[in-house]
Amino acid sequence: QFQLTVNVVALVTVFIGACAGFHPPLNAVMMLWINLIMDTLGALALATEGPTMKVLERKPYKRNAALVSRPMIRNILVQSVLQLILIFVLLFGHKWFNIEPGERCAKLDVKKDTTPYWITGSERFYSDIEAALESHPGAIPLSCASLIDICDDELDQTCYEKHHDLAPGEGVSFTSLRKFSKRCIEGCKQYSWVHGSIIFNTFVFAQIFNEYNAKSIHSEWDIFTGFFENHVHLWITLITLGLQIMLIEVAGPFMKTSPLTINQWLLSLGLGAFAIPVGILMRFIPVEEDPETFFDNTMEIKRAAEIMNKKKQQNLEIDS
């Protein structure tokens, strides 16, 4: 139940993200970490759940019963739909959270050339800036160093793409200046993957919380039964959380992740935590297991009762 949910969400996310033209929401290294959570840590957490007496209250399953039951299908579909909605909200609604999409340049390498070649109000490149200023009175001369002066505190791709108002009626967008990027921008010193990091973080948090939903494949709404009794599950949750923090904050180019702010961490945690209330509510959707999947021992009970009755009759006859 846990693994199938992870697989469905991961595959659909990567496929839709690629079709929509976004930078891969989950790259290859992220998928390796997700596989580690799914196949190793998740398996240890869920396989160490202790047995309960409730198991003896149901009929045994047939040998040829389906591996995925009807309640499991309900749980997988509901959790998958929830997680896909959360991820697509972050993927397509990045503007709502003031996040720039895809891979961004966090620190541009710009030439400190102070020779003016452009003026405000015009996108042309001028070899004779004095003649350009004569034909455009009131214009402001611009050079490569103008971008450094304007974006000194945040010399990144976002500032480079913005429109800057330098004076009343005089503004500039460096992206539109002819030859500016070719003559002035030498490259990117540092990249930012904040958008992908938030999506990846939310996805992992959703799996951490969904582990507690996956403890039960039936319709018991109290998913925290024995929460403090399974110490292995608790330790694995803490280890997964600790490793996730490290991967986001320090992995950098290896994972293509960027450090997040407190608000972005809370956003990821809050969205991932939706798995818990939705996991409780989905169990009230009336879905029962197929009766054909259970071994019906009614005939065996009747036959055993008949044998016992015959033995009693024989004992009575012997006694008489």
Side-chain angles (χ1 to χ4, degrees):
Q1 178 173 278
F2 177 69
Q3 289 182 331
L4 287 176
T5 304
V6 178
N7 281 328
V8 169
V9 178
L11 289 173
V12 173
T13 299
V14 172
F15 179 75
I16 297 297
C19 292
F22 284 95
H23 190 76
L26 300 171
N27 60 49
V29 185
M30 291 177 180
M31 291 298 290
L32 287 173
W33 170 234
I34 290 165
N35 270 310
L36 182 63
I37 294 175
M38 180 178 70
D39 294 331
T40 305
L41 298 176
L44 282 172
L46 294 171
T48 52
E49 284 296 313
T52 63
M53 295 302 294
K54 287 186 178 181
V55 176
L56 301 177
E57 296 176 3
R58 64 161 172 79
K59 294 180 179 179
Y61 289 106
K62 293 180 180 178
R63 288 185 177 182
N64 60 348
L67 182 64
V68 182
S69 64
R70 291 175 183 176
M72 288 172 67
I73 293 173
R74 173 199 62 191
N75 299 351
I76 291 167
L77 289 177
V78 171
Q79 284 295 324
S80 297
V81 169
L82 167 68
Q83 292 181 24
L84 287 171
I85 289 173
L86 296 177
I87 289 173
F88 289 151
V89 165
L90 291 171
L91 186 63
F92 295 98
H94 51 87
K95 292 183 179 178
W96 301 340
F97 305 99
N98 197 26
I99 304 169
E100 294 296 334
E103 183 180 83
R104 309 286 293 177
C105 182
K107 193 173 182 181
L108 283 167
D109 189 7
V110 181
K111 291 181 180 178
K112 298 180 180 180
D113 185 359
T114 58
T115 305
Y117 296 105
W118 302 271
I119 58 173
T120 56
S122 176
E123 299 176 358
R124 292 181 58 189
F125 172 82
Y126 296 96
S127 56
D128 187 351
I129 200 69
E130 293 183 1
L133 289 171
E134 288 178 3
S135 60
H136 295 80
I140 300 172
L142 299 168
S143 65
C144 295
S146 299
L147 177 61
I148 300 175
D149 295 336
I150 295 170
C151 301
D152 187 34
D153 294 332
E154 45 180 357
L155 189 56
D156 57 13
Q157 187 175 342
T158 302
C159 189
Y160 169 66
E161 294 173 345
K162 281 182 178 179
H163 182 86
H164 304 279
D165 295 318
L166 304 181
E170 294 294 328
V172 63
S173 173
F174 290 96
T175 54
S176 62
L177 296 181
R178 187 182 174 198
K179 298 183 182 180
F180 186 88
S181 60
K182 185 177 181 180
R183 293 184 66 92
C184 299
I185 298 179
E186 295 182 325
C188 183
K189 291 183 178 179
Q190 180 182 340
Y191 285 95
S192 171
W193 299 277
V194 172
H195 188 213
S197 298
I198 293 176
I199 293 174
F200 172 55
N201 215 25
T202 301
F203 180 81
V204 170
F205 275 125
Q207 309 320 317
I208 292 173
F209 286 110
N210 193 39
E211 277 185 8
Y212 292 90
N213 286 320
K215 286 170 59 179
S216 171
I217 61 174
H218 303 292
S219 296
E220 298 90 349
W221 66 269
D222 186 6
I223 61 176
F224 291 106
T225 301
F227 177 77
F228 293 104
E229 296 175 5
N230 188 350
H231 301 293
V232 175
H233 198 162
L234 287 173
W235 273 110
I236 286 176
T237 299
L238 293 174
I239 290 169
T240 305
L241 180 60
L243 290 173
Q244 179 65 17
I245 293 172
M246 288 179 59
L247 291 175
I248 291 291
E249 294 296 320
V250 300
F254 174 72
M255 287 284 294
K256 290 192 175 181
T257 55
S258 296
L260 302 179
T261 65
I262 293 297
N263 290 336
Q264 290 167 343
W265 273 103
L266 292 176
L267 172 66
S268 303
L269 180 64
L271 291 177
F274 269 105
I276 294 295
V278 171
I280 294 172
L281 292 174
M282 74 183 179
R283 286 173 162 78
F284 291 96
I285 301 174
V287 176
E288 299 296 332
E289 292 198 74
D290 184 1
E292 296 298 321
T293 63
F294 294 106
F295 179 74
D296 189 358
N297 59 351
T298 306
M299 296 301 297
E300 283 71 14
I301 293 174
K302 287 183 178 180
R303 191 177 298 116
E306 290 174 358
I307 292 171
M308 291 297 294
N309 287 331
K310 285 182 180 180
K311 286 185 175 180
K312 286 181 179 180
Q313 288 293 333
Q314 291 174 356
N315 290 334
L316 289 172
E317 290 175 0
I318 291 172
D319 293 339
S320 63

